[in-house]
């Protein structure tokens, strides 16, 4: 299967090739012809499946002739909006297309300027778009296509009323595309209200991690997690590491300590300002920071190439979050490792994750690490699950794996 067989014109296929993609991913192969046919679509797909190109490419095809604001893409976060905008720029590089990303946390001025000059596509977060709508900076009379990207996430973040207000300002006759990783009841209801006879394309509901991710558990008493993390970073060959914490405070603390220990680390979470988040992300993407510490929400939908390691400093809350987190590495056929530090209190969620993956994850101990250090007297022994005494050496990183 080639992009040129999907009904895309030469300039668009050239744009995709220039980015380095030769073959469409499954969601692209299925969704692109449907979108080109004009039908509404529900795409059940996570980030990492190639869903952005699955809607951007046919939209470029449909908009290639003509002018005016004809497509609106709504996303839950500024980061995702910026990412979708980058995709539009990349794929449209051999054609004339005007577009703008509209999101909060940055000044309105340049966005107003772009809207006045005229755009074909807007990629926006709901809140800031409504600000512009209230000020009459934007009008949708020519709109043909609406995309809701990561719709479940937008609902989680409380954007449903905003989305409904935005949709009420759009022409009723339009094509609507809704992408969501999950389909909770609220999404079903929304889909019934705003889509007409949609085609359903469901791709790799990733209940299993991408191939190429090697996963290890590092059982450790809670109070030794930071020490173990430092030891792992010291003894493992990494190029680019994404570390997850459960809380914003945790992200602050881990990043600060890593920094104090001489690691180049940045962090992102919901309480940081847009410029701080952008600066951290940009620094991580460009290699200035080797480590990025993030909470689940802040990292949602992030697409960063070349992450060699995902480290779960805290276990994720659900098996789905686990798969989502470790999906940040080994994207698009690369390889990567995912490590999870597991305190005894977190064993239960690990068991749920293993059940969901239908396999036991290998448990690893780090040689020369004092698992008994500074333990409170009553629980001085590190707690490992029983029956996992057999050890063997993983020479690549010199840690001992227990299965
Ligand atoms: P997405 O699901 O849109 O976040 O895309 C996930 C990743 O896959 C991004 O890094 C894309 O650049 C990449 N990607 C998208 N389409 C393809 C393709 N056809 N072949 C290889 N990688 C792709």
């Amino acid at each position: 299967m080639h992009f040129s067989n999907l009904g895309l014109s030469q300039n668009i296929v050239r744009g995709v090739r220039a980015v380095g993609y030769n073959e469409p991913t499954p969601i692209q192969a299925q969704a692109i012809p449907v979108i080109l046919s004009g039908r509404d679509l529900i795409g059940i797909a996570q980030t990492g499946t190639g869903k952005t190109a699955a809607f951007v490419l046919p939209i470029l095809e449909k908009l290639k002739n003509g002018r005016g604001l004809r497509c609106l893409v709504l996303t839950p976060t500024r980061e995702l909006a910026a990412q979708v905008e980058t995709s539009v720029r990349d794929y449209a590089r051999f054609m004339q297309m005007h577009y703008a990303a509209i999101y909060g946390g940055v000044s309105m001025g340049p966005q107003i300027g772009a809207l006045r000059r005229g755009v074909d596509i807007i990629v926006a977060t709901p809140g800031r778009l409504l600000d512009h709508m209230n000020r009459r900076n934007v009008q949708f009379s020519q709109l043909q296509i609406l995309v809701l990207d990561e719709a479940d996430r937008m609902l989680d973040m409380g954007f449903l009323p905003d989305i409904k207000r935005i949709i009420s300002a759009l022409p009723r006759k339009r094509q609507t595309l809704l992408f969501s990783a999950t389909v909770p009841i609220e999404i079903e209801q929304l889909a019934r209200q705003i889509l007409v006879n949609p085609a359903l394309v469901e791709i790799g509901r990733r209940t299993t991690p991408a191939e190429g991710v090697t996963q290890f558990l590092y059982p450790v008493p809670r109070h030794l997690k930071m020490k173990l993390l430092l030891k792992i970073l010291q003894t493992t060959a990494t190029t680019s590491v994404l570390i997850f914490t459960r809380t914003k405070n945790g992200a602050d603390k881990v990043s600060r300590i890593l920094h104090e220990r001489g690691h180049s680390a940045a962090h992102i979470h919901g309480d940081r300002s847009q410029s701080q988040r952008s600066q951290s992300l940009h620094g991580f993407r460009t290699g200035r920071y080797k480590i990025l510490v993030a909470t689940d929400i802040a990292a949602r939908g992030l697409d960063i190439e070349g992450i060699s390691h995902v480290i779960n400093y805290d276990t994720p809350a659900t098996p789905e979050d686990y798969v989502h987190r470790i999906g940040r590495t080994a994207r698009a056929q690369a390889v990567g490792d995912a490590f999870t530090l597991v305190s005894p209190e977190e064993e239960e969620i690990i068991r749920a994750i293993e059940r969901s993956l239908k396999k036991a994850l290998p448990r690893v101990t780090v040689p020369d690490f004092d698992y008994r250090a500074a333990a409170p007297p009553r629980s001085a022994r590190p707690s490992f699950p029983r029956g996992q005494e057999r050890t063997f050496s993983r020479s690549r990183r010199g840690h001992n794996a227990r299965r």
Side-chain angles (χ1 to χ4, degrees):
M1 174 65 82
H2 287 284
F3 283 104
S4 44
N5 303 130
L6 291 173
L8 300 169
S9 37
Q10 200 50 38
N11 281 349
I12 298 174
V13 175
R14 272 177 75 202
V16 182
R17 293 247 168 84
V19 179
Y21 307 148
N22 296 315
E23 286 180 10
T25 64
I27 190 158
Q28 291 161 7
Q30 291 189 40
I32 289 173
V34 174
I35 298 173
L36 287 176
S37 80
R39 217 176 142 182
D40 283 1
L41 175 107
I42 299 180
I44 304 176
Q46 296 187 336
T47 297
T49 52
K51 72 172 164 63
T52 312
F55 64 82
V56 170
L57 296 173
I59 285 172
L60 294 178
E61 179 69 35
K62 300 191 81 161
L63 302 188
K64 70 180 188 225
N65 301 318
R67 286 208 57 180
L69 175 51
R70 287 160 297 153
C71 173
L72 169 64
V73 181
L74 289 177
T75 73
T77 61
R78 307 148 185 176
E79 284 81 5
L80 188 59
Q83 244 167 241
V84 173
E85 185 201 21
T86 304
S87 295
V88 173
R89 184 178 61 220
D90 285 346
Y91 302 137
R93 75 174 76 167
F94 298 112
M95 57 199 298
Q96 276 282 339
M97 194 58 68
H98 300 281
Y99 47 84
I102 299 287
Y103 49 77
V106 294
S107 68
M108 304 271 281
Q111 298 177 355
I112 294 172
L115 294 172
R116 288 218 178 110
R117 283 191 298 278
V119 290
D120 302 295
I121 302 175
I122 288 180
V123 186
T125 53
R128 176 55 69 93
L129 181 63
L130 277 171
D131 285 350
H132 283 288
M133 289 166 65
N134 292 337
R135 296 174 191 207
R136 306 202 184 289
N137 295 336
V138 57
Q139 67 99 3
F140 291 113
S141 58
Q142 289 179 273
L143 195 101
Q144 297 170 7
I145 308 171
L146 167 68
V147 182
L148 300 178
D149 195 10
E150 298 206 355
D152 49 351
R153 189 79 208 127
M154 288 202 274
L155 262 55
D156 284 353
M157 292 171 74
F159 283 140
L160 187 58
D162 286 357
I163 291 172
K164 288 192 164 160
R165 282 181 53 204
I166 292 168
I167 291 178
S168 69
L170 306 180
R172 290 180 77 90
K173 187 169 165 327
R174 56 161 200 269
Q175 184 178 18
T176 305
L177 315 173
L178 182 152
F179 290 86
S180 192
T182 57
V183 188
I185 184 86
E186 297 86 351
I187 293 283
E188 268 184 56
Q189 283 166 351
L190 180 69
R192 265 200 298 276
Q193 289 164 14
I194 64 168
L195 300 171
V196 181
N197 183 27
L200 180 70
V201 174
E202 180 169 5
I203 296 300
R205 233 194 249 209
R206 276 229 194 116
T207 51
T208 53
E211 281 181 29
V213 188
T214 311
Q215 306 164 65
F216 294 101
L217 303 179
Y218 286 79
V220 62
R222 176 153 205 86
H223 67 282
L224 293 180
K225 275 196 172 183
M226 192 64 217
K227 272 199 170 131
L228 184 65
L229 174 66
L230 290 164
K231 182 82 177 178
I232 291 172
L233 290 172
Q234 185 194 339
T235 55
T236 307
T238 59
T239 51
S240 180
V241 186
L242 179 59
I243 298 179
F244 282 97
T245 61
R246 203 178 49 243
T247 63
K248 298 168 192 168
N249 271 342
D252 284 337
K253 187 178 132 201
V254 169
S255 165
R256 177 172 46 78
I257 296 176
L258 289 175
H259 194 72
E260 285 165 9
R261 294 305 187 91
H263 291 280
S264 63
H267 61 293
I268 52 170
H269 56 61
D271 283 353
R272 304 206 81 207
S273 71
Q274 176 58 23
S275 73
Q276 287 172 324
R277 282 159 68 166
S278 296
Q279 196 235 352
S280 293
L281 265 180
H282 181 72
F284 186 57
R285 280 204 165 99
T286 54
R288 183 152 71 87
Y289 302 117
K290 187 168 166 185
I291 301 175
L292 181 70
V293 188
T295 55
D296 288 286
I297 292 190
R300 174 98 195 185
L302 280 190
D303 178 26
I304 298 166
E305 305 249 320
I307 291 177
S308 68
H309 291 75
V310 167
I311 301 182
N312 295 315
Y313 184 83
D314 298 309
T315 50
T318 65
E320 292 74 38
D321 285 344
Y322 177 80
V323 172
H324 203 268
R325 281 185 184 185
I326 75 171
R328 306 299 90 201
T329 185
R331 297 168 73 70
Q333 282 113 47
V335 291
D337 285 352
F339 300 161
T340 304
L341 309 193
V342 186
S343 68
E345 310 81 58
E346 293 170 319
E347 279 292 340
E348 203 173 317
I349 176 67
I350 290 298
R351 280 195 292 277
I353 290 169
E354 290 180 319
R355 271 200 304 278
S356 146
L357 299 175
K358 298 195 176 61
K359 66 173 183 184
L361 297 175
R363 289 160 194 270
V364 180
T365 54
V366 178
D368 307 327
F369 182 78
D370 185 0
Y371 282 89
R372 294 165 191 247
R378 235 162 28 87
S379 59
R381 286 185 61 241
S383 154
F384 294 116
R386 276 183 246 285
Q388 293 173 348
E389 293 78 19
R390 200 158 66 84
T391 64
F392 65 88
S393 165
R394 269 183 67 84
S395 53
R396 185 147 67 94
R397 59 184 62 74
H399 297 176
N400 295 324
R402 295 156 167 249
R403 289 198 191 262

